[in-house]
Amino acid sequence: MTMLFDAAKAARAQAYAPYSNFAVGAAIETATGAVFSGCNVENVAYPQGTCAEAGAIAAMVAAGERQITQVLVMAVSPQPVTPCGGCRQKLAEFSSPDTVVILADLNGERRRMTMAELLPYAFDQAQLDNNS
Ligand code: THU
């Protein structure tokens, strides 16, 4: 947890969020024990902004890794901040149902759940295979 927490915090400190002023950091641990992090990067053309989770996933894939064992998302809000719908699907692509999802703020962990709990009824390969 500590390595993920520190990585997400450092990434969040670099967030580029001048439009929402909502900084997010994410850190992923993979099956090999490697850690990858990302922050949100907004754009004046609002839909072009990217979430922290997407940045961390891109760094992971670019390093040749594919299996997420844990992900920690850090933001400061009254309620624990969960990954947006799109990021849930992005994370699911490289996760198993028991991948651990940790929601944190600057002080530490606030909630913990599995990927299956975060994204029940995920669209997956099995559904694609049944296309006819
Ligand atoms: N955001 C993330 O980076 N990850 C999330 O899980 C929730 C939302 C970003 C997107 C946008 O830059 C800002 O937070 C406000 O929505």
Side-chain angles (χ1 to χ4, degrees), residues 1 4-5 8 25-30 36-37 52-54 56-57 68-74 83 87-88 91-92 95 98-104 111-115 118:
M1 217 298 262
L4 280 184
F5 182 84
I28 285 168
E29 186 176 316
T30 63
F36 301 95
S37 60
E53 296 89 330
I57 290 168
I68 301 173
T69 53
Q70 290 193 72
V71 55
L72 185 148
V73 179
M74 183 184 293
C87 284
R88 294 177 197 202
L91 290 166
S95 296
D98 60 351
T99 289
V100 176
V101 180
I102 299 166
L103 312 180
R111 247 199 102 167
R112 178 180 287 238
M113 65 199 68
T114 64
M115 199 56 216
L118 180 70

Side-chain angles (χ1 to χ4, degrees), residues 20 22 24 40 42 51-53 82-84:
S20 71
F22 190 74
V24 185
N40 52 334
E42 297 184 347
C51 286
E53 296 89 330
T82 52
C84 77

Side-chain angles (χ1 to χ4, degrees), residues 6-85:
D6 290 348
K9 195 170 188 173
R12 182 181 174 278
Q14 305 297 339
Y16 177 72
Y19 306 105
S20 71
N21 285 312
F22 190 74
V24 185
I28 285 168
E29 186 176 316
T30 63
T32 66
V35 171
F36 301 95
S37 60
C39 60
N40 52 334
V41 182
E42 297 184 347
N43 192 281
V44 64
Y46 297 167
Q48 301 307 323
T50 51
C51 286
E53 296 89 330
I57 290 168
M60 175 192 76
V61 173
E65 300 256 4
R66 296 281 164 90
Q67 189 55 52
I68 301 173
T69 53
Q70 290 193 72
V71 55
L72 185 148
V73 179
M74 183 184 293
V76 175
S77 191
Q79 297 300 318
V81 170
T82 52
C84 77

